[in-house]
Amino acid sequence: MAFENSSRSRLIVPALAPVYSSTHEIAETILRVAAGVLLVTHGFGKIMNPFGAVGMVEGLGFYPGVFWSPLLSATEFFGGILVAIGLFTRPASFAAMIVLLVTVYFHGVVRGEGLGGAEKSILWAAIFLFFAVRGGNSHSVDAKLGRTF
């Protein structure tokens, strides 16, 4: 309701204020669940072969690869599950954001693809930054437990 009171006078169509105030939290939940599920999907192949990215992570300067490759796999797969259900939303989102910032560097600098190659990773990193700062909302396991990180 705070949105309705503070923003109604600024809206071009004030009649839409109830729509915005009643749907903003569900839209945020949909974004969190979609981001988490897509991260799980992206990490599924890696979790099936957690040492498969050893060469890639070492090529980026992360040694030893036998440590970083499974960590990457777990961050994407299990971190995505945590974000999707809204459990430990902030730390899981922060970890995903770090992974995605590394992919920004990988695509933009190492592979020389520039902004065009890094733009999806930048967008994903921004989404996970949002949830690292915001956390889960009332439609999260964190909220159901009455605890947040």
Side-chain angles (χ1 to χ4, degrees), residues 8-149:
R8 185 183 267 291
S9 63
R10 296 187 329 212
L11 291 174
I12 292 172
V13 182
L16 291 175
V19 174
Y20 298 145
S21 65
S22 65
T23 59
H24 76 276
E25 193 161 313
I26 193 67
E28 181 181 309
T29 301
I30 291 168
L31 179 62
R32 178 177 47 79
V33 171
V37 167
L38 289 170
L39 190 62
V40 168
T41 303
H42 186 74
F44 181 75
K46 291 181 183 80
I47 205 70
M48 298 307 289
N49 182 12
F51 296 102
V54 169
M56 181 197 63
V57 296
E58 287 184 350
L60 291 170
F62 292 92
Y63 293 97
V66 295
F67 171 76
W68 291 107
S69 181
L71 188 60
L72 169 65
S73 303
T75 300
E76 289 184 1
F77 186 77
F78 296 112
I81 291 170
L82 292 173
V83 170
I85 66 173
L87 178 62
F88 303 121
T89 308
R90 285 186 174 103
S93 295
F94 183 77
M97 180 193 68
I98 296 300
V99 166
L100 286 153
L101 289 174
V102 171
T103 66
V104 168
Y105 172 75
F106 175 72
H107 287 286
V109 177
V110 173
R111 292 186 60 184
E113 297 171 356
L115 179 61
E119 66 184 329
K120 284 194 303 186
S121 295
I122 293 168
L123 178 60
W124 281 103
I127 290 168
F128 286 111
L129 171 63
F130 175 82
F131 291 110
V133 171
R134 175 95 168 132
N137 57 22
S138 65
H139 303 291
S140 67
V141 174
D142 288 335
K144 302 302 180 221
L145 295 174
R147 296 277 200 197
T148 187
F149 195 86

